[in-house]
Amino acid sequence: MRKTGLSMGIALVALMGVAAAQPPVNQQHFAAEAVARDAASYAASWHATSGALGEFSAQTVNAIVGNEGFINLRELRREASYGNPDAEAALGLFHLTSTGEAYDPIAAFAYNSAAAEAGMPVAQTSLGLQYLNGVGTTRDTAKAAHWFEVAAKGGHTQAAYQTGVMYLEGEGVEDDSLMARYWLLRARENGDRRATRLLADFATF
């Protein structure tokens, strides 16, 4: 079996979005860092409830972990080539939150798009973040808002928070304080501390 040389710790980096810090060199990198930070937040929130790994099938988890704690990228890519949305979502996160040569936002966009269309909330949220930050694709707040809300309706806590923020700020959607409150409350109910803080900041809520 081919190994990437990435340990299980890096596997969790890829899946939970905790990317190592790199000095920003241009605007694209700033946007990438923003995605990485958001990915870390939503993946950690998701992991705290059902687990980022818990959203994937057992077969995909085995491919992610591989033997001796290494990511089996060859297996994941093989599964993705067959249209396995679990593998596509895992690869989307991997390429979006990795550093060095493994960081590939264009590949992440392709994988996340396919998995999002197949109904994977983690990929829908990743895709929303890519559209919101213009990473791996052209910035499009309307598409970002769309995918956040789709993922939120699928039970993704981070997506619920992002949807609330989009409605609150009128970004990609018309501003709607009632919808903002609804989604922020949903996020807060699932343990999103940012939603708790944001709700406390607005007396009208």
Side-chain angles (χ1 to χ4, degrees):
M1 181 189 73
R2 179 188 172 193
K3 296 178 180 178
T4 66
L6 300 176
S7 68
M8 182 54 188
I10 302 300
L12 292 177
V13 166
L15 292 170
M16 297 183 67
V18 187
Q22 291 183 348
V25 294
N26 52 40
Q27 186 174 3
Q28 177 75 1
H29 192 91
F30 277 118
E33 288 291 307
V35 167
R37 286 194 299 271
D38 283 343
S41 177
Y42 84 72
S45 176
W46 189 251
H47 189 270
T49 53
S50 62
L53 291 175
E55 188 170 347
F56 302 126
S57 67
Q59 182 179 6
T60 303
V61 171
N62 288 337
I64 293 166
V65 176
N67 293 334
E68 301 174 13
F70 285 82
I71 303 172
N72 189 337
L73 282 178
R74 183 174 61 183
E75 179 66 15
L76 281 178
R77 287 170 178 151
R78 184 180 70 84
E79 287 297 318
S81 72
Y82 296 153
N84 181 335
D86 292 321
E88 290 166 341
L91 285 167
L93 271 177
F94 173 77
H95 286 299
L96 189 60
T97 61
S98 293
T99 58
E101 293 182 0
Y103 173 69
D104 187 341
I106 295 176
F109 180 78
Y111 284 124
N112 284 327
S113 295
E117 292 288 353
M120 291 290 289
V122 67
Q124 291 162 351
T125 308
S126 293
L127 189 60
L129 289 169
Q130 290 195 261
Y131 276 123
L132 180 62
N133 291 283
V135 174
T137 186
T138 302
R139 188 171 190 270
D140 189 325
T141 57
K143 289 182 179 179
H146 165 76
W147 285 114
F148 286 146
E149 190 158 0
V150 170
K153 289 177 179 177
H156 202 290
T157 300
Q158 168 67 6
Y161 169 78
Q162 293 286 359
T163 301
V165 170
M166 300 296 271
Y167 275 113
L168 187 65
E169 298 181 350
E171 190 169 15
V173 291
E174 290 191 17
D175 62 284
D176 187 329
S177 60
L178 291 178
M179 289 297 290
R181 182 176 186 273
Y182 172 79
W183 286 114
L184 290 171
L185 285 171
R186 288 279 297 272
R188 185 177 71 178
E189 288 169 2
N190 289 316
D192 193 304
R193 294 181 179 178
R194 295 171 307 159
T196 300
R197 291 192 295 269
L198 190 55
L199 285 165
D201 286 340
F202 291 88
T204 56
F205 288 3

